[in-house]
Every structure is written in C-alpha cells, then in structure tokens.
C-alpha cells in the first residue's frame, strides 16, 4: 500500500497552527491548488485551506473539456488558442494521460445556420494546424458521415459537418489528483476549513483564523504571504483585508445537464447557436453532458444552481442538432451550475475575456481569480512567478526551479491498467471489465491500491449501486486518502454516483455510516 496521506483532521489542524508557512493559499479550487502545487515544487512551506471541499464549487462545474477553444478563433485570439493547444497536449501526453482522453467533435452545418461550410471548414483546419495536426486534420464531412459518429443527430436541413479533435476529463478527479500532487510535493492541505478572520501584523496580512466546519474547532495559520484564490468569493475576502476594497470581478453562471444516453456516441457535438455562442452535447461517463449557459449572476455564490429556465434553455439549444428522443426530461440524471469569474467592467458577460485577474490589497494579500481548466498549470505557474517577484521578496530569494512537466499521481496508460486489473485474478474471481476500465480511467496506477483493498476485503469490490461502475473500495479510499469528509465529497467529487443519478437515500445513508 502506498504511504497514507495525512488526512486526519485533528493532526492537520495541529500541524497548520504549529508553524509559520511561507505561503498560505486560501481557496482549494483549481487555481489555488495549482499555485500550491507550484510553490511546493519550488521548495516552499505552503498550506492550502478551503471553506468547502477541494474543487467543490466552480472547478467541478465545468464542461469537462481540455480544449483549445475553437470559438476563440472567432474573436481573432489565435495566440490564446495556440497556447491552449500546447497545454492541452502536455496534459494528454505527459501530465495526465490516465485522466485526460481524446474526443472527436462534430460541428453540424444547417441550412440558414450562423456559419457556412467554407468558413467552418477553414476554421477547423486552422484550429488543427495550431495544434500541429496532433489530433488529425480538421475537415468537412458529409451528413451521412456525421450521423455515423452521432446517431442522435438531426438530419433535417443538414448540409454538411466540420470535424476537429480535443480532449475531455472528469474535472473532480483531476482536481483531487492535483491536490495529491501538491501534498506529494510537500504541501499541507485541509478542506472544510473556513476563514473567519485575517491575521495582521503591523498592517500586513500574516495569516488567517479558521473554523473547522465539521466540528467547530477554531485554529489559526501564520504565513509570510497570503494568497486569496477563493474564486467567486474573492471580493468577500478582499473586504476582510480592507472594508473599502472596490469590486474586482463579476460573475457569469454556466449551467449543465447530464442525461442518460440511448446509444453510443463516437463523437461530441459543438452546435453554433448564434455568431458567438455554441451548445455542447458531449458523451461523458456513459451519459450525455449538455450545456452551457452564460448569464450575469448577482446572488450569493453558495446558492448557485441550475434553474427550470436553465434546463429549458439547454434542452432547447441542444434541440437545434439533437433529436427530441434523446432530450426527454425523464432522462436527466443531474443538473448543475457553476460561476465563471470574469474581470469587472461593462458589457455582456458572454463577450467578457476569460482572463486571470491579479490584485494586491492594502495589507499585502495577493488576490487572484479567473482562468480556465485547460491552462490551469500555466496559470498556476504565472501566479507563482508573480508571488516570487513581489516587491520586498516576501517569499525570499532561495526558490528552486520548477520542473517543466511533473505528472499527476497514477500516470500510466489506462488501457494497460485496465488489462492488468482484469487479468490479475483467477478467471472465476476476475474484476468486471467495466469496473476495471472505470478505475483505470479515474485513478491510473492508484487503481492497484484499490485492488489491494478488495483483496483484503472482497466486499469492497461490490458496486455501490448496481447501475453504475463505482465500487465500495472507492468510498473507503476517498475517506482514507482523498480528504473526503462528507457524503457529497464522496458521491459528487470522488465517484460518479451523483452525475449518474445514483446517489439514492439508501446509498447516501450507507456512505454516511462509512464516513463516521
């Protein structure tokens, strides 16, 4: 068994309050986690805390894509697309091939649609050229060829379709693995730990006072530098530092639906809705992921959810290209929404640039918000470089160079892991091939640790719900090695139970018992 990662909350609280850190990162979304990982790789003493679960908000409410961003070509941002492609290919080849997988996308071209075949054909060709044709050449195909890839495609008025390549992932699993990578590099992390106040020394922010949300214990963390990476809550923390801090961001809500799929899809759909917006229909976790919306959000970030209006809009927009038989409301297994953090300013949120906002407050706290999953390592490194070169060098001069491509834990070919899981047992006691595949593509070689748990206790090899591939060993492993402390941590972000609509009251009760 691999060495146990420190997940004992009392021990972690004692460690956090017992020493001074070079850097305290507040916020365990993908941005905070990436900076924590980079800082630990540079040899710093770094701690990260989050009021909820790691990637519990925006970072686990994405479109699950690792992509170049075809629509950025529409706004002429060729450099951004090329940069995204570079990072996408690094993730898929060197950092996380066990978690990030290639996916073909079809763009249907309908009579009277917002884009013609010539324009889209040129667009997907340029898009694939910017990734040095690493995913094949973007091209235009016939309606018949498109239907062979996407069986639920509407064919009325379909003139042609464009094809290109990108990648997809399970964002929650990539986030948990990145937290593990940061801890492997020396970071200390704790979820469900809410900041109730900032510590100040001579006007400078030098740490935070926290409350454990699970048992109410109060404790503090001291640090030479504090980074506010709380996403939609970034201005809330800035006002803790300075009550007069002006707003730095605005929020845009993006909702998604997960639906049962009636037949296999060999490709995803990118359907142009108007000149700038697209609707995705993506085969994901044996289901179909539809979305997304893009509208200004003014409410409490904790209260964001997919509304009835969002569900209607997503189904209507998907219906431009997907047949009604695949869009029945009774097939929805899960609806969710997240908040994009955008630079403050005028204009429509849909047209706002998806860029990272960095500000430094009156007490020296650095606040960072925004960015996207595809370039999360790149953004983490950029923010870390900014921290390293702040006036007065609060992090010191003695920083190690960060290696260019440290892989996430479990790096391996998922095909090889699945094969080994399946063949490792006597034929009569072999793991179900679907379970083996599921573990391989969500854990990589860490799946062998789960297999060892099953050898020690065969009951852990049983499925949590008969209709899904998640097994009890995953719940035990989430509790003991992945900081899962609540039922939602397990069913929403360590397994796929919630997205499949399988987190029944009985399942939740049994997982709650396991956690206590």
């Amino acid at each position: 068994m691999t060495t146990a990662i420190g997940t004992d909350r009392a021990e972690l609280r004692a460690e956090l309050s017992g020493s001074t850190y070079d850097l305290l990162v507040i916020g365990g979304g993908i941005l905070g986690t990436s900076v924590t990982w980079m800082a630990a790789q540079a040899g710093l003493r770094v701690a990260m805390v989050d009021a909820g679960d790691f990637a519990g908000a925006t970072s686990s409410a994405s479109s699950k894509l690792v992509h170049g961003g075809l629509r950025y070509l529409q706004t002429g941002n060729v450099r951004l697309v090329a940069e995204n492609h570079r990072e996408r290919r690094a993730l898929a080849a060197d950092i996380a091939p066990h978690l990030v997988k290639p996916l073909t996308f079809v763009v249907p071209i309908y009579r009277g649609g917002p884009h013609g075949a010539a324009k889209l054909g040129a667009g997907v060709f340029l898009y694939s050229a910017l990734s040095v044709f690493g995913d094949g050449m973007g091209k235009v195909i016939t309606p018949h060829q498109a239907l062979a890839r996407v069986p639920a495609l509407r064919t009325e008025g379909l003139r042609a379709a464009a094809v290109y390549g990108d990648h997809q992932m399970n964002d929650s699993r990539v986030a948990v693995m990145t937290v593990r990578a940061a801890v492997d590099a020396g970071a200390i992390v704790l979820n469900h730990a809410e900041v109730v106040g900032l510590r100040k020394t001579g006007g400078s922010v030098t740490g935070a006072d926290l409350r454990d949300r699970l048992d109410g214990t109060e404790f503090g963390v001291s640090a030479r530098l504090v980074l506010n990476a709380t996403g939609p809550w970034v201005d809330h923390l800035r006002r803790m530092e300075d009550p007069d801090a002006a707003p730095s961001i605005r929020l845009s809500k993006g909702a998604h639906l997960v639906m049962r799929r009636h037949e296999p899809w060999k490709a995803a759909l990118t359907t142009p809705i108007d000149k700038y917006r697209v609707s995705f229909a993506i085969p994901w976790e044996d289901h179909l992921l539809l979305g997304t919306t893009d509208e200004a959000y003014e409410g409490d970030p904790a209260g964001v959810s997919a509304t009835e209006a969002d569900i209607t809009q997503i189904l209507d927009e998907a219906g431009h290209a997907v047949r009604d038989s695949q869009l029945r409301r009774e097939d929805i297994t899960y609806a969710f929404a997240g908040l994009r953090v955008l630079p403050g300013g005028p204009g429509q949120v849909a047209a706002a640039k998806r860029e990272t906002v960095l500000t430094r407050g009156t007490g020296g706290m650095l606040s960072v918000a925004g960015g996207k999953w595809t370039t999360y390592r790149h953004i983490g490194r950029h923010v870390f470089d900014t921290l390293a070169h702040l006036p007065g060098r609060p992090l010191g001069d003695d920083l190690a160079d960060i290696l260019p491509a440290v892989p996430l834990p479990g790096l391996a070919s998922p095909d090889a892991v699945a094969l080994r899981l399946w063949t490792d047992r006597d034929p009569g006691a072999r793991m179900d091939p679907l379970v083996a595949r599921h573990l391989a593509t969500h854990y990589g070689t860490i799946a062998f640790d789960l297999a060892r748990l099953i050898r020690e206790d065969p009951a852990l090899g049983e499925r949590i719900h008969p209709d899904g591939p998640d097994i009890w060993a995953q719940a035990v492993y989430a509790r003991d090695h992945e900081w899962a402390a609540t039922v939602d941590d397990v069913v929403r972000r360590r397994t796929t139970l919630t997205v499949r609509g399988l987190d029944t009251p009985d399942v939740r009760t049994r997982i709650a018992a396991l956690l206590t």
Side-chain angles (χ1 to χ4, degrees), residues 3-7 12 15 33 36-41 44 46-48 54 175-190 408-409 481-483:
T3 51
I5 296 172
T7 54
L12 286 168
E15 185 153 1
T33 300
T36 301
W37 186 24
M38 298 301 160
Q41 287 181 57
L44 292 179
V46 56
M48 179 178 79
F54 303 127
V176 168
M177 290 295 201
T178 307
V179 175
R180 271 195 73 147
V183 170
D184 287 348
I188 302 290
V189 303
L190 186 64
L408 292 183
H481 298 277
E482 293 182 340
W483 306 277

Side-chain angles (χ1 to χ4, degrees), residues 212-231:
D212 190 320
R213 280 178 146 182
L214 301 183
D215 66 6
T217 304
E218 300 204 341
F219 64 104
V221 183
S222 296
R224 287 156 61 186
L225 188 65
V226 175
L227 177 70
N228 167 16
T230 52

